[in-house]
Amino acid sequence: QPQLVQSGGGSVQPGGSLELSCLASGTDFYIYDMGWYREVPGHERELVAVVTSGGKTKYADFVQGRFTIIRDNAKNTPSLQMNNLETEGTAVYYCSADWTFGPDEYSYWGQGTQVTVSS
């Protein structure tokens, strides 16, 4: 059974750093695009960063160079290093994996990790 298990996160003061990790198992995740999303109550889940199966990265505009997504295909672990966090970064962060093969789309989510940025 494919699954994504997240670790990391927690609480940090503004300007601090956190790292999120995601261990993927149960299928060949190296063919998947993998990323991180975040969700705030009352708002839609939004993209933070994604790394494709080919290694290309894309970041949301609000990241502004502060975050780095790293993919270790040997370990099936996409991680997100977040630096200079702002209070607006408080959210539940989700790891994601997506693969489209012809008409079929395969998507998986991690369990979610709370990140709180507060003084």
Side-chain angles (χ1 to χ4, degrees):
Q1 182 72 14
Q3 63 176 350
L4 305 175
V5 178
Q6 299 177 215
S7 60
S11 297
V12 68
Q13 293 185 342
S17 299
L18 285 173
E19 182 174 2
L20 306 179
S21 295
C22 177
L23 179 62
S25 64
T27 191
D28 294 326
F29 278 105
Y30 67 89
I31 64 175
Y32 284 69
D33 296 342
M34 305 196 76
W36 291 91
Y37 288 73
R38 70 183 188 184
E39 187 173 333
V40 176
H43 294 78
E44 290 187 358
R45 192 172 296 185
E46 62 178 351
L47 174 72
V48 177
V50 64
V51 54
T52 68
S53 59
K56 292 184 178 180
T57 58
K58 178 182 178 180
Y59 296 91
D61 290 342
F62 63 78
V63 169
Q64 297 180 333
R66 298 175 296 122
F67 299 176
T68 303
I69 187 169
I70 299 173
R71 179 176 189 145
D72 185 337
N73 280 332
K75 298 180 180 179
N76 279 339
T77 54
S79 61
L80 183 69
Q81 176 65 43
M82 302 185 291
N83 298 322
N84 194 19
L85 281 161
E86 302 170 338
T87 56
E88 290 80 8
T90 296
V92 177
Y93 286 71
Y94 294 90
C95 176
S96 73
D98 297 277
W99 178 51
T100 300
F101 182 71
D104 300 320
E105 182 174 348
Y106 301 84
S107 295
Y108 301 98
W109 293 97
Q111 79 274 22
T113 300
Q114 178 68 47
V115 169
T116 301
V117 185
S118 174
S119 56

